[in-house]
Amino acid sequence: MCGIVGYIGDKNCVPVVIDGLKRLEYRGYDSAGIGMFNNGGISVTKVIGKVENLQQEVKNQGLDSTTGIGHTRWATHGEPNVLNAHPHSNNDGTLIVVHNGIIENYPTLKAGLKKLGYTFKSATDTEVLAHLFDAYLKSGYPFFEAVRRGLKDVEGTYGIAVISTKEPDRIVVAKKGSPLLIGVGEGENFVASDAASIVQHTKKVVYLEDGEMAEVFKDHYHTKTTDDEEVNKEVHQIEMTLEEIDKGGYPTFMLKEIMEQPESLKNSIRGRLLQETGDVKLGGLENVLDHLLYVKRFLIIACGTSWHSALVAKSMFETYLRIPTEVEYASEFRYRNPIVGPGDAAFFISQSGETADTLAALKEAKRLGALCIGVCNVVGSSIARESHSGVYIHAGPEIGVASTKAFTAQLAVFALITILLARRKGMSVEEGQSLVSEFAKIPETVRGILSQNDLIEGIAEKLKNATNFLYLGRGYNFPVALEGALKLKEISYIHAEGYPAAEMKHGPIALVDENMPVVFIAPKDATYDKIISNIQEIKARKGKVIAIATSDDENIDQLADYSIKIPVTRSILMPILTVIPLQLLAYHIAMKKGLNVDQPRNLAKSVTVE
Ligand code: F6R
């Protein structure tokens, strides 16, 4: 949600910042802006829409500077227009700031600054920061100190980068609740909200923690806390490659990410499945394994697609471990005075590792004494760092706003955790071996399902004009129904709902007529017969049935209007397979409607505001 990139060095900052912003565009794309030193002052260029518009505008102006900061915005306060785009500047245009996050007490600060004579151009919360820092600068404080003092007045969250003509040899950055890192180069340095934006320039990064700030010069940087204490920061080496964050020949990131699931799943399970002993190894859980075996209750907390993974994980845990498991929306958990204590272990699932509500829920669960385990994709992300222990899902960078490969990798990791704990709770070696060997086949099985892309595209062509969809599943596949519906609605803007299949009779069936496609996730499992009855009920009302069925199902073709077959596997692994056709179906419907699947309207990749 919103992206920040800045550069200080000897090169022209424009291509560095613009290219970096393009890589962050998935975080927000309603407007973009760049500000840089120019002829003793600061030039600011802002546009509505995509970073490519900004690139063209900067090119037209022929701008060139060795220090600059840029921003791609996802609107929180104030509609997406040029005035509300970042950077925001003080009244005389000598200081600019780019900001991710929300300044909660901005009305109070704004009122106070207005009394001091400051005038405001935008409807944003961020503009108060520019004037606030300016007020401290004008009181005689050096630049860094002026920012530090300003931040002490602020309530809310921020990742910021600021430049001032008063001390043009530095960029000042700070973090609280929104990610910010320094990219360490040779004779040049970078600042960014996300390592993906600077990975082509340096692999060395310093992650700021909440309450930390830095002044970044071209050949060194200096870190402190907002309480004015010195901090020494570790330099991390990031492993991400440029290829991983490019489209790799696919028309969209989303299709690339769907298609690379055989590889991303291999990466998720690599070195973790122990075929001979029918066991699992997860280094990140070794130090908490005993604790996990004796907790009274598991909590799994997440948002969106990650919350759907949590629902699948609940079924895995309760089936195999018999440990009561509650799944919570992070946003609800944190505000309802939850009953949590040292007898609980709480898992926090987040692709980005930066979702504000999930991070806040983690801090709350930690405060209440629960053992907190992060299940994240982005290495070094805030949730990963804040957790007591954790497991990375290793799906690789996910750029498409709609989550696909992270979902299947999350499911894989929870299946791993389940087997790991189940083996210690009495699962036999034979059962472990059987599960592990089935698990090892999953990446190639997924490849087989992906090869039905053309068939699924054909079904999408037939259904693309529907205005409502129902997705129905049971047991392990009920969350998959929710996920299928979410994928469709977020990228195609078609209204879709997921339900437990039998719940359909308690309301949603009223919606069914000849125009209503109903997607059934109907593998041959314990509830298969019941699902078949549900399909018949839909057919009796002339609904169109799309069935995701297993290859051993010979009768489904007579019942369903369209069927997509997937190989048979163990129930615990089935959601990894059943979701693949649903991802492709949503993808093709949206593409056929001419929509931008990578950057659907109103959405942003990581929701770092509450
Ligand atoms: C949907 C989607 C979102 C995210 C949600 C949580 O396709 O991507 O629903 O799953 O915003 O994000 P993370 O997992 O980064 O915490």
Side-chain angles (χ1 to χ4, degrees):
M1 184 151 291
C2 301
I4 290 176
V5 189
Y7 173 80
I8 183 161
D10 293 325
K11 292 189 209 140
N12 181 8
C13 70
V14 172
V16 177
V17 173
I18 297 280
D19 287 351
L21 289 179
K22 281 190 176 165
R23 296 193 190 285
L24 293 192
E25 210 166 22
Y26 67 100
R27 296 180 66 106
Y29 32 82
D30 60 43
S31 54
I34 183 170
M36 64 196 90
F37 293 119
N38 188 21
N39 294 329
I42 296 180
S43 301
V44 171
T45 311
K46 311 201 260 195
V47 298
I48 288 291
K50 305 274 170 163
V51 176
E52 62 188 18
N53 304 351
L54 180 68
Q55 185 170 29
Q56 192 53 49
E57 189 58 35
V58 175
K59 197 169 159 205
N60 295 345
Q61 293 176 22
L63 289 168
D64 183 338
S65 172
T66 54
T67 305
I69 54 178
H71 188 263
T72 173
R73 178 170 187 249
W74 184 87
T76 55
H77 290 74
E79 62 175 280
N81 60 28
V82 167
L83 281 183
N84 289 338
H86 299 216
H88 289 282
S89 58
N90 62 348
N91 283 152
D92 57 17
T94 55
L95 175 149
I96 59 167
V97 55
V98 290
H99 166 224
N100 293 348
I102 292 182
I103 307 301
E104 279 159 12
N105 62 339
Y106 87 100
T108 320
L109 293 171
K110 192 167 178 174
L113 288 160
K114 275 185 174 169
K115 280 196 192 130
L116 292 174
Y118 286 96
T119 55
F120 286 78
K121 292 191 200 120
S122 77
T124 66
D125 52 338
T126 303
E127 195 180 0
V128 298
L129 293 178
H131 298 317
L132 188 62
F133 301 153
D134 181 75
Y136 279 107
L137 263 180
K138 299 256 159 66
S139 321
Y141 290 105
F143 179 32
F144 183 78
E145 185 59 12
V147 174
R148 192 184 74 76
R149 286 185 182 252
L151 292 176
K152 297 302 280 180
D153 297 340
V154 162
E155 285 163 23
T157 55
Y158 50 78
I160 54 164
V162 198
I163 57 172
S164 160
T165 55
K166 202 150 182 203
E167 294 176 41
D169 58 343
R170 70 200 72 186
I171 302 174
V172 173
V173 290
K175 171 188 185 308
K176 186 181 164 208
S178 228
L180 211 290
L181 55 87
I182 304 167
V184 184
E186 299 282 331
E188 60 183 4
N189 284 316
F190 308 82
V191 299
S193 53
D194 184 326
S197 62
I198 55 164
V199 72
Q200 69 268 46
H201 306 293
T202 179
K203 299 243 159 116
K204 287 194 218 154
V205 299
V206 172
Y207 296 104
L208 293 190
E209 298 294 338
D210 282 353
E212 291 180 350
M213 15 183 340
E215 39 190 352
V216 182
F217 303 82
K218 74 174 193 179
D219 46 12
H220 67 289
Y221 57 88
H222 174 210
T223 43
K224 269 192 164 183
T225 66
T226 41
D227 290 329
D228 208 18
E229 290 151 358
E230 298 288 332
V231 268
N232 279 326
K233 301 291 299 175
E234 196 185 329
V235 179
H236 293 262
Q237 192 76 24
I238 45 171
E239 279 167 19
M240 194 187 294
T241 63
L242 204 51
E243 295 72 59
E244 281 179 319
I245 53 173
D246 281 340
K247 283 189 196 150
Y250 285 96
T252 61
F253 280 111
M254 185 175 176
L255 187 60
K256 176 191 172 219
E257 289 159 6
I258 292 174
M259 290 299 178
E260 70 192 10
Q261 287 177 105
E263 281 71 39
S264 56
L265 283 162
K266 267 185 209 152
N267 291 337
S268 303
I269 60 181
R270 176 166 294 124
R272 292 170 161 181
L273 287 177
L274 308 178
Q275 304 254 14
E276 268 181 26
T277 50
D279 209 341
V280 161
K281 184 176 162 52
L282 290 170
L285 295 189
E286 260 160 30
N287 60 339
V288 292
L289 212 46
D290 290 340
H291 192 147
L292 279 175
L293 289 170
Y294 297 104
V295 293
K296 290 204 198 70
R297 181 178 64 150
F298 283 147
L299 293 162
I300 318 180
I301 298 166
C303 303
T305 286
S306 297
W307 185 80
H308 298 156
S309 303
L311 290 177
V312 179
K314 172 185 163 77
S315 288
M316 294 178 179
F317 285 172
E318 293 193 336
T319 305
Y320 283 90
L321 309 177
R322 310 302 298 156
I323 297 177
T325 304
E326 284 175 30
V327 172
E328 298 258 12
Y329 281 117
S331 53
E332 291 296 313
F333 174 82
R334 54 182 295 211
Y335 288 114
R336 65 169 183 78
N337 195 10
I339 304 167
V340 176
D344 297 316
F347 291 85
F348 295 84
I349 316 179
S350 177
Q351 185 285 128
S352 61
E354 302 295 346
T355 299
D357 281 321
T358 312
L359 182 58
L362 162 59
K363 289 180 180 163
E364 178 64 2
K366 219 171 155 185
R367 190 184 69 76
L368 294 169
L371 171 67
C372 294
I373 295 162
V375 178
C376 297
N377 191 30
V378 177
V379 176
S381 55
S382 302
I383 291 170
R385 283 179 288 139
E386 190 74 32
S387 305
H388 294 120
S389 310
V391 185
Y392 282 116
I393 64 167
H394 293 312
E398 191 180 67
I399 309 288
V401 162
S403 189
T404 52
K405 64 175 181 168
F407 179 69
T408 47
Q410 288 166 348
L411 299 183
V413 161
F414 275 99
L416 289 171
I417 296 173
T418 305
I419 300 171
L420 172 77
L421 297 178
R423 286 283 282 110
R424 273 142 203 83
K425 279 179 88 81
M427 178 190 276
S428 67
V429 178
E430 293 72 29
E431 171 66 346
Q433 284 166 332
S434 153
L435 273 173
V436 164
S437 71
E438 198 59 31
F439 206 155
K441 293 185 213 150
I442 288 291
E444 286 313 310
T445 312
V446 166
R447 198 185 300 286
I449 299 171
L450 290 168
S451 70
Q452 299 183 71
N453 188 28
D454 290 349
L455 166 78
I456 298 169
E457 185 175 357
I459 300 174
E461 177 62 35
K462 300 264 173 35
L463 301 176
K464 67 177 186 213
N465 295 322
T467 49
N468 288 290
F469 271 72
L470 263 181
Y471 285 74
L472 304 175
R474 295 180 79 123
Y476 280 117
N477 289 299
F478 157 54
V480 176
L482 295 178
E483 177 60 8
L486 179 64
K487 286 290 88 85
L488 185 71
K489 69 186 134 190
E490 66 185 338
I491 60 171
S492 73
Y493 316 142
I494 296 173
H495 173 246
E497 293 200 45
Y499 264 91
E503 264 304 295
M504 167 196 87
K505 288 203 282 293
H506 300 279
I509 199 164
L511 297 168
V512 176
D513 61 15
E514 65 279 10
N515 300 317
M516 172 71 104
V518 184
V519 180
F520 276 92
I521 303 141
K524 272 204 163 177
D525 60 14
T527 57
Y528 176 74
D529 292 342
K530 301 264 184 311
I531 284 252
I532 293 299
S533 304
N534 297 145
I535 293 179
Q536 272 152 346
E537 285 150 11
I538 295 294
K539 285 310 302 170
R541 284 153 187 90
K542 299 196 168 52
K544 283 199 183 60
V545 169
I546 303 98
I548 314 300
T550 34
S551 48
D552 57 349
D553 190 336
E554 282 149 16
N555 300 325
I556 199 84
D557 298 335
Q558 278 108 61
L559 263 183
D561 296 86
Y562 309 101
S563 61
I564 304 163
K565 297 281 178 60
I566 54 166
V568 178
T569 188
R570 300 289 294 264
S571 297
I572 182 177
L573 302 170
M574 195 53 102
I576 305 178
L577 306 186
T578 50
V579 76
I580 306 282
L582 305 188
Q583 295 171 343
L584 284 170
L585 185 66
Y587 176 80
H588 287 301
I589 290 176
M591 289 298 281
K592 285 178 189 301
K593 291 172 88 71
L595 298 169
N596 182 341
V597 297
D598 284 340
Q599 295 173 347
R601 71 182 178 207
N602 303 340
L603 294 174
K605 184 68 182 162
S606 69
V607 184
T608 50
V609 293
E610 296 166 8

